[in-house]
Amino acid sequence: MPRTHHLKREGSTVNKKLCKTELSRALGALCLALAAGSAIAQEQTTAPAAPAGDQATELDTVTVRGFRQSLQYSTEAKRDSTGFTDSIFAEDIGKFPDTNIAESLARIPGIQLNRDVNGEGLNIAIRGLPNSFTKTLINGGSVATASIGLDATNQNREVDLNLFPTEFFNQVTVYKSPTASLPEGGASGVVNMRNMRPFDVAGNHVTYSLQADYNDVSDKTSPRGSVIANWTNDEGTFGALVGLTSSRGKIGVEGYETIGWTNPNLTNAQCGNGGTAGGFPALGQPCNVTGGNGWRIPDVVPNNASTIAAGLVPGQAIDAAWLEAHNPGLSTEQIGEALMPRLGRPVHMSGDRDRDGFLGSFEWRPSDSMHFWVDTLYTKARRTNSRVDMNLVGRNGGMIPLDMQLDENNVVTSATFSNAQFFLEHREYIEDVQYWQVTPGATFWFGADQNVKLDVQANTSRSWMFRESPTILVNSPFTTLDYTNGGDIPTWNTALDLNDPNLGWTWAGGRVNVQNEKRVTETSGFRADLQLGEDRRNLKFGVAWDKNERRIQGFDNSGAWENLVCRGLNPDGSVPDPRPACSGGPLAAVPNSALAGYLRPGPYGFIVVDADRFKNDTDYAFYRDNAPESGGPNTGGSTGGFDEETFAAYMEVNGESEIWNRNLRFNFGARYVETDQNVAGPVTIGGVRQWQSLKGDYSEWLPSFSAAWDVADNVVLRMSGSRTMTRPNPSSMLPATTFTDQSAQVANQGNPDLTPYISTNFDLGGEWYTGGEGFVGLTLFNKRVEGYTFQGVTTRPFLSLGIPFEDLTDTQQVALNNRGGPDVATVNVNQQVNADAELEIRGWEAIWVQPLSFVLEGLGFMANYTDLDIKTLGKDAQALSGNVYGVAPSLWNATTYWENEVASVRLSYTWTEGATGTGPNQQGIPFAQIYGEDRGQLDLSASYTLKNIRSQPQLTFNVLNITGEERRSYFAYPNAVNDMYDPGTTFTVGIRGTF
């Protein structure tokens, strides 16, 4: 529904804020003068400029040399801009300051870098809003990628920047305050990446680069290289630039995961509350105060070697008296709240990260009044990951606690567990990703003074991904073990040799999975911008049309593969009736008697699977290729898609004037946008699975205003007020309910009625330019976000979900039965809803870039700091406050550099304060949230140029994560680790030059 009535209310709010300063009153007087017709006062000839939307300085010849020159260009671009923008420029042809675009952006204040588990920069967030609130463009055209990270799901509007080779780009600009001509969609900001074009590096030359990376965790070397050739004709009317890149990367990650923590689901008899012996205490009552209940202590002592060895009596009832007798000092109420990892597991990842890329850019300037270009970008990646982990079974397990000790938060610090069991999970990820984009455009100048300019540009892109992830899970014999949690990572001691293939591993309780994921994203667009007047004083009009499509599909053939592998088929290939369990019986293709032959000792202290032989012997490829569509992929998302079509029109005024004999630049305008949206996904109605489509539309007015006042020769004050938007998460709107784990304990349910996020923004700041690349800047910012969503979590009976019990996987059915069966078991249902509240983000950011040539020629430093304060206001403020996560309250980075004509050294440190990572009610425990810990990373970059050799080759040496910092998060309490990943340290040597 149109919400144009917001314009008046939001504009009034902005005006009240503007009136709080003397500067705002001067600007108000200026706006009145502009309204009287004095906005466009001068005309002059303008040279061909950057594509529409780039307000920061575009240099006609980007032939920068070195880090200091890159910094100086960034400083000049910031000084010349009217709004709040930051730019990063290439140091040389094909040499961005960092090997990853996201890493470079981390040097900009207000930017939070999101890293993958292997330490690689993945995407960014701006000024307190998550990464999905950042709009990403290439040459002004929308970008959507189908890729996902090693542990991410990318169900929202994130863009993985590691898919794009940095060698192809010479400028990245972050717009923190919008203009009417800038594409909408980034409530927090817009990132525009501009690739190189022939006339940026005019002339005929070839630039080459060769590098080799070594990571101390993977213990492997990864080569990569690039070549970029440029040609322009003698007349300067036509040019062509072609670039190729190729990398053959290796990953190595060591870590520990828990998949959350849980507590026992005691029966009334085990609690001793006097209730029906086979029943369970109600939520909120003793022994079940906080929920969770993912761990089931047996009603009687099982008859197996582990319980007998522990001195327990098989068949003896485990009631309240028994539990208190075997756990001195603890009451059953405490035992019922004892927190243990759901799956405590060391994890290891290794594999390939290969990527190839192509850039083709062509420019034609037949006259001074016409400029044509076309840019083509293609990149493809093949990524494999052999992911193995050894799990101590907590969830759905049956461990018996003995001599258990708890801390004040009921976290288990030590215990002996009998009837304990491990399982090996061996998963092979094989992923192929491709992306291509074509962007043709033209600029025309009209009039005797060429003061009328028309920019037109089209763009189209497509990205697709296919990921297969076969999983093999086998169980150990039961054991008794000693468990210790000293606050870092839980450890255990067991008599089992988990690295022995002949230990007695069994299919009983195990499984195999055939799970595929396919993603396709497509974007297309067209825009036209008409400028009346020269570049600094003009009136602009424009229209834009964009289309954005995405489809995510999960495919699952696990049941059929299990029938063959561990359940067994009849001689004619049919499934026996009744269907056998996955127990490795005589009909199975891999019976228990043959299982050890597919296992081998692993390099990490526990067994691994000979995956290639296992897949070949069990006809895995057939089951993979014939997998039917499922409710969602194993990354936790949902099968479904969306199709958005938008139309936008704007008017914008750019001008200059003087206040007290000092120049003032200003920009104001408004953008109107209409969105037609179609969200679709599979649903089951009356037992029939079908795709259901839900359509909607809405419109918004997005006004903006910015001004920059040169109050002194080297001092600029700025202010900006605007209204921005981000469209809702399409995955949260899908018309379906899906489980996110094999325990069937947590489900996601779509909400097709979500509305856009609308942010009202105000910025005030300034800079003092100290000479060269140096300046000191401070910015204060405020955002009020309406329509922010929070995850409503309700605990509901399974039967109320409308999902047939028989449609669940066998593992999920077993899990529900362990919790009392489908008539009794409850499920935590998550659904995103728009809050009847506002999210207020207040913050400040400071930056200091300072050359220190008076100390040593070429020496300098740069540093920035960002501090955020987030509050919620309104009816749903309390609910919303627990669902604002993933945002660091403070972050900073600092770089010290030294550079001369032949050598350079740069040492950089980036620090991010730990942040809340999820909403509450994790694993059914209402107070539980996941928190990320503080993390800092120290990197080194150095080079030396051989000036007297042809092509002037430059030798480079880089070190990432010098101190080997880990990435860690915890569950509710610091001594309850959620996950920890060690990406190791990466060393890079290389050579580059230009002919």
Side-chain angles (χ1 to χ4, degrees), residues 697-770:
D697 61 84
Y698 48 86
S699 61
E700 298 291 345
W701 281 96
L702 305 173
S704 61
F705 172 80
S706 296
W709 188 20
D710 298 329
V711 297
D713 290 343
N714 295 309
V715 179
V716 180
L717 295 183
R718 303 180 193 276
M719 68 179 303
S720 174
S722 63
R723 191 167 184 257
T724 54
M725 69 173 285
T726 286
R727 296 177 176 89
N729 181 354
S731 294
S732 298
M733 303 173 70
L734 297 175
T737 301
T738 57
F739 285 105
T740 61
D741 64 355
Q742 287 295 320
S743 65
Q745 196 162 21
V746 180
N748 286 335
Q749 194 169 66
N751 181 0
D753 297 321
L754 292 179
T755 59
Y757 308 93
I758 303 297
S759 179
T760 302
N761 318 294
F762 181 71
D763 306 83
L764 180 65
E767 306 92 40
W768 171 35
Y769 294 88
T770 59

Side-chain angles (χ1 to χ4, degrees), residues 33 81 127 133 137 259-260 396 425 767 779 945 978:
S81 65
R127 286 185 172 178
F133 287 75
L137 312 172
I259 320 300
N396 305 324
E425 185 178 49
E767 306 92 40
T779 301
T945 303
N978 182 67

Side-chain angles (χ1 to χ4, degrees), residues 301-336:
V301 176
N303 185 6
N304 60 49
S306 75
T307 57
I308 295 172
L312 304 182
V313 179
Q316 192 174 62
I318 301 179
D319 55 15
W322 193 100
L323 287 173
E324 290 182 346
H326 286 81
N327 294 275
L330 295 182
S331 65
T332 55
E333 289 86 350
Q334 290 174 299
I335 295 173

Side-chain angles (χ1 to χ4, degrees), residues 871-893:
K871 295 190 299 184
T872 54
L873 309 169
K875 178 181 177 182
D876 292 334
Q878 184 174 358
L880 181 59
S881 64
N883 285 269
V884 180
Y885 43 83
V887 177
S890 63
L891 49 135
W892 62 270
N893 64 78

Side-chain angles (χ1 to χ4, degrees), residues 421-731:
Q421 194 173 27
F422 295 89
F423 71 76
L424 168 77
E425 185 178 49
H426 189 126
R427 179 174 292 168
E428 301 278 325
Y429 290 102
I430 305 170
E431 175 184 309
D432 289 287
V433 185
Q434 297 188 58
Y435 177 91
W436 62 258
Q437 178 170 329
V438 179
T439 308
T443 300
F444 305 92
W445 289 264
F446 305 96
D449 296 322
Q450 292 194 338
N451 60 352
V452 176
K453 182 173 69 171
L454 175 65
D455 285 305
V456 293
Q457 180 172 298
N459 62 274
T460 182
S461 74
R462 191 173 193 268
S463 179
W464 60 99
M465 182 204 77
F466 181 82
R467 174 194 269 191
E468 58 179 287
S469 50
T471 304
I472 303 158
L473 189 152
V474 296
N475 285 273
S476 75
F478 287 99
T479 184
T480 296
L481 58 85
D482 293 323
Y483 170 93
T484 303
N485 179 13
D488 184 19
I489 292 176
T491 59
W492 60 72
N493 289 313
T494 174
L496 298 181
D497 182 0
L498 299 175
N499 210 18
D500 181 5
N502 296 301
L503 174 66
W505 298 93
T506 176
W507 281 117
R511 58 180 165 86
V512 294
N513 294 101
V514 182
Q515 294 170 306
N516 305 329
E517 181 171 357
K518 181 180 179 181
R519 296 185 177 216
V520 178
T521 64
E522 295 184 4
T523 67
S524 54
F526 173 82
R527 74 169 191 258
D529 305 273
L530 180 65
Q531 176 179 304
L532 308 178
E534 49 99 0
D535 283 347
R536 299 180 74 93
R537 293 179 173 88
N538 59 66
L539 177 64
K540 294 176 68 174
F541 301 91
V543 294
W545 169 85
D546 286 283
K547 190 171 185 180
N548 186 12
E549 300 176 66
R550 186 186 74 187
R551 189 180 181 99
I552 299 175
Q553 292 174 278
F555 300 88
D556 196 318
N557 212 6
S558 302
W561 199 32
E562 267 194 7
N563 288 337
L564 172 72
V565 173
C566 60
R567 295 178 181 272
L569 297 174
N570 293 319
D572 62 358
S574 62
V575 179
D577 186 14
R579 185 186 182 211
C582 179
S583 57
L587 295 179
V590 183
N592 274 332
S593 59
L595 181 58
Y598 291 94
L599 307 178
R600 55 184 174 84
Y604 317 117
F606 54 83
I607 59 165
V608 295
V609 177
D610 187 345
D612 289 339
R613 177 171 169 249
F614 188 95
K615 290 190 292 184
N616 288 336
D617 289 356
T618 58
D619 206 11
Y620 162 76
F622 170 82
Y623 293 95
R624 175 199 63 198
D625 296 341
N626 291 277
E629 185 181 81
S630 63
N634 60 1
T635 51
S638 301
T639 291
F642 72 94
D643 182 347
E644 287 176 347
E645 192 166 353
T646 64
F647 172 80
Y650 74 88
M651 185 192 76
E652 177 181 302
V653 174
N654 294 279
E656 286 185 313
S657 186
E658 287 191 354
I659 294 181
W660 300 323
N661 298 318
R662 290 292 180 180
N663 185 63
L664 178 121
R665 305 181 302 279
F666 59 86
N667 166 288
F668 68 88
R671 187 178 186 90
Y672 174 77
V673 58
E674 294 181 347
T675 302
D676 292 319
Q677 189 175 65
N678 182 25
V679 179
V683 296
T684 301
I685 302 176
V688 178
R689 178 183 171 88
Q690 56 189 308
W691 275 64
Q692 183 181 46
S693 295
L694 301 172
K695 295 184 178 181
D697 61 84
Y698 48 86
S699 61
E700 298 291 345
W701 281 96
L702 305 173
S704 61
F705 172 80
S706 296
W709 188 20
D710 298 329
V711 297
D713 290 343
N714 295 309
V715 179
V716 180
L717 295 183
R718 303 180 193 276
M719 68 179 303
S720 174
S722 63
R723 191 167 184 257
T724 54
M725 69 173 285
T726 286
R727 296 177 176 89
N729 181 354
S731 294

